Amino acid sequence: MDAPVGMIWAIPDSLATTADLRRGDELWAEATRDGVIVRSDSLRKVYVEATGQCNMQCTMCSRQTWAADSGHMTAACYDQLLSGLPDAPPDRVTLAFGGFGEPTLHPEFLDMVDLARKAQIRVEIITNGTTITAELAQDLASLGVAQVTVSVDGGDAEAYTAMRGTERAPALNAVARLREYARRGPHRMSIGVACVATRQTVGSLPALIATAQRLSLDFVSISNVVPHTREMADEALFTYAGQVSNMSPDTWRPRLTVGRFDLNHVTRPLLDALFRRLPIVPPPALDPGEWYNRCRFARDGVVAVSWDGRVTPCLSLLYTHTEHLGGRDKTVRSFDVGHVERTPLREIWVDPPFRALRERLRAFDMSPCLACGGCFISETNEGDCFGTPFPACSECLWAQGIVLCP
């Protein structure tokens, strides 16, 4: 935690421990309305694509737009991934098994989880739930998995089938089984559902929230769709939100400040008035700095690793794919920063070019493509009109809080 020349940062040991800061960590600071926030630029989470294969063909999945090879991560590759993680206290680093394949299809999936837990690595799983038997749910709880997210795209059977082309019952059964063993297991296991909202399914989502309440789930995550075709773009729910996402809230007129209050039938007229006015997105009670022009991967210490060992700065750059934005197709090229079988992940993380990329993403001084509608320069992510080098994340839906990662 060495300070730059001319600066002295005195952080009490007790505060450093609470903030999980260690001597030698590289720190970065950010000025906010509440003062200066200091954070550690350390690797904290790795999305691991255990397999590139999936047992579903969902209409909203961007894998529909690419022809990349798919396979299972080899034992050698996974061992190199684990051994290359930075030395850290127990559960400081998280492995999130997900990506664009269904992780439970890997023939050695439970062994991979077991190896991670024996190395005192925190484990999360993102699954479609179709393979979660009672036995597997019990095993995951016994191994000490910290969180399982089940994708349930729709609050009723019709909406789910429209998105995933199959019945909803297996996914809901998986949620119930996981919840049961999470309660009975020896470790705390958070269970939740994630869904992608579209025009076709959004009306059913109150029922999904009610289901989550009935099952006493820990969380519900609702994301916009990544539109990979014109048809999926027509289903998107973020036209206006996308247009204002790059705009500074200081330009809004009138500027509204709203305190915390109950959300009920009494306050409903006020809520309706707020949400009908644009660009009041999100509600003005939220700090605007928490949702726009913020790369969660660069800020929170996250990378992604493909089934074949490639390391990328985020999930969006894992594969070359198409996104349909502003009435045009955009080619998002994949971008690798290393390979776990050639270089330990802890060394990839501190490699100067990757460090420089994270600094650029944290500053996010890029063109407001979503606000202006884009142009021929933004037909790929190779650059933008500000001269941003590849990868240019000017139209990143994740950085605007439009698309969420589980």
Side-chain angles (χ1 to χ4, degrees):
M1 295 186 293
D2 296 332
V5 175
M7 296 182 63
I8 298 177
W9 291 351
I11 301 178
D13 291 341
S14 58
L15 180 59
T17 300
T18 302
D20 201 15
L21 302 177
R22 295 185 299 164
R23 186 170 298 279
D25 283 354
E26 180 173 334
L27 304 182
W28 60 275
E30 177 183 28
T32 71
R33 294 176 180 176
D34 298 321
V36 176
I37 296 176
V38 178
R39 299 188 182 185
S40 170
D41 181 37
S42 56
L43 179 61
R44 297 178 181 273
K45 186 171 184 177
V46 182
Y47 279 95
V48 180
E49 189 179 54
T51 178
Q53 298 179 4
C54 188
N55 58 345
M56 303 184 79
Q57 293 290 328
C58 303
T59 60
M60 74 292 187
C61 183
S62 59
R63 62 186 290 137
Q64 307 294 346
T65 70
W66 70 65
D69 293 335
S70 65
H72 299 313
M73 181 175 286
T74 66
C77 182
Y78 185 66
D79 287 344
Q80 290 292 94
L81 189 159
L82 290 182
S83 64
L85 291 172
D87 294 331
D91 293 333
R92 173 174 175 173
V93 177
T94 295
L95 289 191
F97 288 95
F100 292 94
E102 168 53 42
T104 60
L105 294 181
H106 195 293
E108 307 300 330
F109 174 67
L110 272 180
D111 291 335
M112 298 172 79
V113 174
D114 186 36
L115 285 171
R117 292 302 299 138
K118 286 178 178 176
Q120 297 184 304
I121 298 168
R122 186 177 179 276
V123 171
E124 296 178 1
I125 298 168
I126 303 108
T127 174
N128 60 36
T130 58
T131 62
I132 303 293
T133 62
E135 292 76 16
L136 180 54
Q138 184 176 21
D139 288 338
L140 296 178
S142 299
L143 288 172
V145 171
Q147 177 176 297
V148 181
T149 303
V150 181
S151 297
V152 182
D153 292 296
D156 56 39
E158 182 180 358
Y160 182 91
T161 300
M163 295 293 283
R164 295 196 167 247
T166 187
E167 296 183 356
R168 188 175 66 138
L172 289 184
N173 290 339
V175 173
R177 289 168 183 149
L178 289 163
R179 180 74 274 177
E180 176 185 357
Y181 286 105
R183 290 170 176 160
R184 292 167 21 186
H187 308 282
R188 173 78 173 95
M189 185 165 72
S190 178
I191 308 298
V193 294
C195 70
V196 172
T198 66
R199 293 184 182 277
Q200 188 173 11
T201 65
V202 68
S204 72
L205 297 187
L208 179 63
I209 296 173
T211 298
Q213 291 174 323
R214 176 174 55 82
L215 294 174
S216 298
L217 300 186
D218 296 293
F219 61 91
V220 177
S221 174
I222 301 175
S223 173
N224 274 291
V225 68
V226 178
H228 53 82
T229 63
R230 180 179 294 275
E231 291 72 23
M232 290 311 302
D234 290 340
E235 285 288 314
L237 299 168
F238 58 84
T239 302
Y240 296 112
Q243 288 174 355
V244 304
S245 59
N246 295 107
M247 295 170 61
S248 170
D250 291 336
T251 66
W252 297 357
R253 297 292 185 275
R255 187 177 305 114
L256 299 179
T257 301
V258 180
R260 298 178 183 274
F261 49 82
D262 293 341
L263 308 182
N264 54 36
H265 68 284
V266 177
T267 61
R268 178 63 182 269
L270 173 60
L271 287 176
D272 287 345
L274 291 176
F275 281 104
R276 285 196 190 107
R277 292 186 62 86
L278 292 174
I280 311 301
V281 182
L286 299 179
D287 176 9
E290 290 299 321
W291 63 275
Y292 80 108
N293 287 353
R294 294 169 76 88
C295 175
R296 276 78 177 161
F297 286 81
R299 298 175 65 85
D300 297 338
V302 186
V303 296
V305 179
S306 66
W307 66 270
D308 54 357
R310 295 178 295 108
V311 182
T312 66
C314 66
L315 287 170
S316 180
L317 296 176
L318 207 54
Y319 294 96
T320 297
H321 64 280
T322 300
E323 295 180 7
H324 192 82
L325 301 170
R328 59 195 161 71
D329 285 336
K330 179 188 185 78
T331 299
V332 179
R333 280 181 47 204
S334 63
F335 181 79
D336 300 348
V337 293
H339 195 289
V340 296
E341 290 188 285
R342 294 192 285 270
T343 309
L345 197 49
R346 58 180 172 271
E347 295 183 15
I348 294 174
W349 182 258
V350 298
D351 188 44
F354 190 20
R355 273 185 166 174
L357 173 59
R358 291 197 302 276
E359 291 176 3
R360 174 159 58 86
L361 290 172
R362 289 195 292 262
F364 217 88
D365 183 20
M366 302 179 192
S367 59
C369 297
L370 283 172
C372 79
C375 63
F376 72 94
I377 301 176
S378 60
E379 291 178 353
T380 73
N381 64 332
E382 296 178 27
D384 61 27
C385 62
F386 279 21
T388 305
F390 176 62
C393 304
S394 312
E395 284 187 296
C396 176
L397 300 177
W398 283 265
Q400 307 306 332
I402 292 172
V403 173
L404 306 179
C405 294

